[in-house]
C-alpha cells in the first residue's frame, strides 16, 4: 500500500491530523490502524507511551525487572521500539515516545494537538480495555473519530462469540467449526507503506527518544547469558523468512512433536514473542503459510500444523475475552474449583530452580536467562508445580510465567495454565509428565541440563536426571555433593504424583456433586481433610521408621 505525500493544493480541505497510538502492533506491515491514520491526513503523530504499570523498576522483585515484566521482556520491547522508530524515519516520520499513565498521556496529547482521528489496534486484554474506554470517552466528547480495528488476531473474538449464541466456544474443535476461513483471507493484505505523512507540531508535550534499559532506571546486570532473541519487526520478518524458506519443514510441522531440550537451535519458529508484541502480523504469517501449503499435496493440518498453532492462539483469545475472571480460579465459570495449597516455600524452590530435579531446574534457569522455553518444557514445569507433584495453585505459576516470558500473553498464558493444571479444557489429570524420564527421552546425554546447570556438568549421564542416586564417590569426583552443592529432591515424584491424583479425584467429585457451585467453605473443608490425611500419613511413616 503506497501513501502519497500530503498535498499542498490550497483548494484542498483544511489541515488534518491523526494520532496513531502504538501499544502492541509494533510494525508497519499489515497495520490497518496506521493505514487509516495516514489516509487523507496531512500529519500523523505515531505515539508510544512508556507505562510505569509495566516499566517501573521494582527492586523487591524476585529477579531483575519491574513487578510485572522481567528485564528480558523490557529489553525486547525497547529493541522493538527502536526498530519501529527506524522504519518510521525511513518513511518520513518518527516515533514519539512519552512517559506516564497511558490514558492520561493520550488525552493530554489529544488536547494539545489538532487531530481529527485517533487510531489504535483493538486489544482484548482487560487492562487495555479499561484504558481504551477512558480514551474513547474523551475522544467522543471532543468529536474526534476513533478507529480501532481487530488485527492482532486472525478473527474478531466478538464475532465468534456472537456466532456461538453469546458464549465463547470451550473446545478447539467447536472454535474451528465456528470460525471457518478468516474473512480477510480472500484478498492480499496491505504491504508496508513506502511513505507516511510527516509528524505535526508536538507543542509542549514532552517527547523523548526510545530509552535504554539504564535510562529507565534498571541497574546493569552482569549475567553470563541473556536472551538470544532480539526484538523488532525487522528481526521478526527475517525469522519468518528463514522458517518459510524451509518449505518441507513448514508442511510437515507437527506439534506437540519437537525437542524441548534443543536450545542452540530451537525446534520451533520462536515467532511467539514477535506475535505477542505485534512485530509480526499473525494474519501475514497465516497468509505466508497458506502460500507454502498450496505447493504440497500433503501437509499437516490443525490442530498440529503451524496454522493450527495460530488458531490455538485465536481460540484462547476468544475464550479469554468472553469469560469473566478468566485469569482467576474464583469466579471463573469454566475453571474447576480446587483446594490448591499455598506453600510459598515450594513455589520459591520451583521458581528459583531448587527442586532437586535437574530437568525441571534447567528449564527454570533457561526461563530466567532467556525469557523463553520450548512449549513442551513449559508443559513439564507447569505440570510439576500444579497437578503433577507440588499441588501449588496455577495462578502462582501463571504469575511467574507472566513476568518472565518475553512472549507472555495474557489470554494464552492464562489459557495454558488452566489447561496444564487440569482446571479447564483438559481433564485427564492422571497423565503426568515425569520430571526424570521425559527429559531423558529427548536428551539421554543430558547436554541441556549440563548447559543450564553447570554444577552438574561432570555427573555421568546415568545419573544426570537423578543425581541423588549417584554413589558418593561419583558425586565427589564430579565435585557436586547432592544436598550441599545441588539440592535433594523436594518431593518424591512417585508418592507426590499419587497424592496429587487422589486430591484431584476428590476435587473433581466435589465439583460434580455441587454442579460447579463450589463455595469457599467447601474448599476449606476439603483442604482441611487433605491436611489431616497428610498428617496421618506422616505419622505412619515415622512409626514405620522407628520399627525399622
Amino acid at each position: 500500500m503506497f501513501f502519497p505525500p500530503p498535498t499542498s493544493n490550497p483548494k484542498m480541505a483544511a489541515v488534518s491530523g491523526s494520532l496513531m497510538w502504538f501499544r502492541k502492533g509494533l510494525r508497519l506491515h499489515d497495520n490497518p490502524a496506521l493505514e487509516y491514520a495516514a489516509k487523507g491526513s496531512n500529519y500523523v503523530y505515531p505515539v508510544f507511551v512508556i507505562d510505569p504499570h509495566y516499566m517501573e523498576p521494582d527492586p523487591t522483585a524476585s529477579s531483575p525487572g519491574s513487578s510485572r515484566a522481567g528485564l528480558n521482556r523490557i529489553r525486547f520491547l525497547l529493541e522493538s521500539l527502536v526498530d519501529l522508530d527506524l522504519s518510521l524515519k525511513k518513511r518520513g516520520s518518527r516515533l514519539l515516545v512519552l512517559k506516564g499513565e497511558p490514558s492520561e498521556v493520550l488525552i493530554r496529547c489529544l488536547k494539545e494537538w489538532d487531530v481529527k482521528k485517533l487510531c489504535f489496534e483493538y486489544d482484548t486484554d482487560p487492562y487495555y480495555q479499561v484504558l481504551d474506554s477512558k480514551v474513547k470517552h474523551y475522544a467522543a466528547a471532543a468529536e474526534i473519530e476513533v478507529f480501532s480495528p481487530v488485527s492482532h488476531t486472525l478473527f474478531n473474538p466478538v464475532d465468534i462469540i456472537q456466532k456461538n449464541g453469546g458464549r465463547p466456544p470451550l473446545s478447539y474443535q467447536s472454535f474451528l467449526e465456528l470460525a471457518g476461513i478468516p474473512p480477510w483471507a480472500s484478498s492480499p493484505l496491505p504491504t508496508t507503506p513506502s511513505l507516511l505523512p510527516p509528524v505535526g507540531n508536538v507543542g509542549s508535550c514532552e517527547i523523548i527518544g526510545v530509552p535504554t534499559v539504564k535510562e529507565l532506571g534498571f541497574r546493569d546486570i552482569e549475567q553470563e547469558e541473556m536472551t538470544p532473541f532480539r526484538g523488532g519487526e525487522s528481526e521478526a520478518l527475517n525469522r519468518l523468512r528463514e522458517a518459510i524458506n524451509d518449505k518441507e519443514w513448514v508442511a510437515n510441522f507437527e506439534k506437540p512433536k519437537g525437542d524441548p531440550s534443543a536450545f542452540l537451535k530451537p525446534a520451533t519458529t520462536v515467532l511467539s514473542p514477535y506475535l505477542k508484541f505485534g512485530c509480526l502480523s499473525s494474519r501475514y504469517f497465516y497468509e505466508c503459510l497458506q502460500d507454502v501449503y498450496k505447493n504440497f499435496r500433503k501437509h499437516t493440518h490443525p490442530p498440529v500444523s503451524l496454522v493450527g498453532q495460530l488458531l490455538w492462539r485465536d481460540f484462547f483469545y476468544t475464550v479469554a475475552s468472553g469469560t469473566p475472571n478468566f485469569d482467576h480460579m474464583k469466579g471463573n465459570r469454566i475453571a474447576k474449583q480446587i483446594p490448591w495449597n499455598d506453600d510459598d516455600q515450594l513455589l520459591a524452590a520451583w521458581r528459583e530452580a531448587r527442586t532437586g530435579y535437574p530437568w525441571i531446574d534447567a528449564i527454570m534457569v533457561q526461563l530466567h536467562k532467556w525469557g523463553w522455553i520450548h512449549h513442551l518444557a513449559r508443559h513439564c514445569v507447569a505440570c510439576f508445580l500444579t497437578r503433577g507433584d507440588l499441588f501449588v495453585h496455577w495462578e502462582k505459576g501463571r504469575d511467574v510465567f507472566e513476568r518472565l516470558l518475553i512472549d507472555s500473553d495474557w489470554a494464552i498464558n492464562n489459557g495454558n495454565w488452566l489447561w496444564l493444571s487440569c482446571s479447564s479444557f483438559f481433564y485427564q489429570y492422571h497423565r503426568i509428565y515425569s520430571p526424570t524420564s521425559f527429559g531423558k527421552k529427548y536428551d539421554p546425554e543430558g547436554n541441556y541440563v549440563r548447559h543450564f546447570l553447570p554444577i552438574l556438568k561432570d555427573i555421568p549421564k546415568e545419573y544426570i536426571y537423578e543425581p541423588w542416586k549417584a554413589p558418593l564417590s561419583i558425586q565427589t569426583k564430579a565435585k557436586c555433593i547432592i544436598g550441599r552443592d545441588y539440592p535433594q529432591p523436594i518431593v518424591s515424584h512417585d508418592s507426590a504424583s499419587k497424592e496429587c491424583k487422589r486430591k484431584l479425584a476428590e476435587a473433581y467429585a466435589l465439583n460434580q456433586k455441587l454442579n460447579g457451585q463450589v463455595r469457599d467453605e467447601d474448599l476449606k473443608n476439603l483442604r482441611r481433610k487433605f491436611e489431616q490425611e497428610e498428617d496421618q500419613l506422616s505419622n505412619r511413616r515415622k512409626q514405620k521408621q522407628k520399627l525399622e
Side-chain angles (χ1 to χ4, degrees), residues 231-299:
E233 179 183 20
S234 302
E235 183 69 24
L237 293 174
N238 284 338
R239 186 170 282 277
L240 175 65
R241 273 190 288 271
E242 282 179 19
I244 294 297
N245 281 343
D246 192 346
K247 292 180 169 45
E248 283 201 14
W249 182 83
V250 170
N252 295 318
F253 180 90
E254 192 173 343
K255 193 177 176 181
K257 291 179 181 176
D259 183 353
S261 70
F263 62 97
L264 294 174
K265 190 179 187 306
T268 185
T269 63
V270 196
L271 287 171
S272 54
Y274 303 95
L275 291 167
K276 178 265 186 311
F277 283 107
C279 301
L280 174 64
S281 156
S282 63
R283 309 194 310 173
Y284 180 58
F285 189 12
Y286 179 96
E287 191 177 68
C288 291
L289 292 172
Q290 296 298 343
D291 287 342
V292 170
Y293 294 152
K294 284 174 191 172
N295 298 313
F296 286 84
R297 281 195 310 160
K298 285 187 177 181
H299 59 79

Side-chain angles (χ1 to χ4, degrees), residues 50-65:
I50 299 290
D51 185 353
H53 180 71
Y54 288 108
M55 309 285 271
E56 190 80 33
D58 182 3
T60 68
S62 58
S63 62

Side-chain angles (χ1 to χ4, degrees), residues 360-536:
I360 300 298
D361 291 342
I363 292 169
M364 295 306 289
V365 170
Q366 186 187 15
L367 173 61
H368 278 275
K369 287 189 171 184
W370 287 27
W372 181 89
I373 46 179
H374 188 274
H375 57 268
L376 286 177
R378 300 179 195 206
H379 293 189
C380 287
V381 293
C383 177
F384 184 89
L385 180 71
T386 57
R387 65 185 171 87
D389 291 80
L390 304 186
F391 210 67
V392 170
H393 203 311
W394 63 266
E395 290 177 19
K396 306 268 189 180
R398 180 274 319 277
D399 290 345
V400 173
F401 271 30
E402 186 175 283
R403 185 172 178 275
L404 294 179
L405 284 169
I406 55 174
D407 60 3
S408 173
D409 188 305
W410 186 83
I412 299 165
N413 190 35
N414 281 291
N416 277 321
W417 276 93
L418 282 162
W419 184 298
L420 291 164
S421 65
C422 281
S423 293
S424 193
F425 306 115
F426 177 76
Y427 303 107
Q428 296 177 38
Y429 57 80
H430 55 278
R431 291 176 60 185
I432 288 173
Y433 291 90
S434 165
T436 54
S437 62
F438 191 81
K440 193 183 297 184
K441 177 173 74 171
Y442 291 96
D443 181 20
E445 298 294 321
N447 293 325
Y448 175 83
V449 167
R450 295 176 205 285
H451 179 84
F452 289 108
L453 293 175
I455 190 66
L456 298 173
K457 65 183 174 62
D458 294 323
I459 294 283
K461 67 177 183 179
E462 301 95 304
Y463 301 107
I464 191 67
Y465 291 99
E466 299 173 290
W468 63 91
K469 290 185 176 179
L472 185 58
S473 59
I474 288 178
Q475 295 180 33
T476 303
K477 188 178 178 184
K479 296 177 183 174
C480 179
I481 305 299
I482 305 306
R484 185 191 74 188
D485 304 309
Y486 180 74
Q488 290 277 0
I490 51 174
V491 292
S492 162
H493 172 65
D494 288 345
S495 57
S497 60
K498 284 174 187 171
E499 280 296 295
C500 285
K501 289 174 191 175
R502 185 181 61 76
K503 289 175 181 177
L504 279 169
E506 291 197 43
Y508 271 38
L510 180 67
N511 278 261
Q512 186 175 19
K513 178 184 173 184
L514 299 176
N515 198 25
Q517 303 301 309
V518 181
R519 302 166 304 163
D520 286 347
E521 191 61 33
D522 299 318
L523 286 180
K524 282 178 187 173
N525 290 336
L526 189 53
R527 186 180 289 113
R528 198 176 297 120
K529 179 176 180 287
F530 290 164
E531 287 168 357
Q532 288 169 354
E533 289 168 348
E534 283 167 12
D535 288 342
Q536 289 168 6

Side-chain angles (χ1 to χ4, degrees), residues 324-366:
N325 300 307
F326 184 69
D327 56 341
H328 291 95
M329 178 181 79
K330 193 174 178 181
N332 181 349
R333 66 179 181 82
I334 71 168
K336 297 279 188 192
Q337 302 300 300
I338 297 166
W340 303 105
N341 72 45
D342 291 318
D343 192 320
D344 287 338
Q345 288 186 324
L346 289 178
L347 173 69
W350 174 84
R351 183 183 63 231
E352 295 160 16
R354 293 186 286 103
T355 69
Y357 286 93
W359 173 243
I360 300 298
D361 291 342
I363 292 169
M364 295 306 289
V365 170
Q366 186 187 15

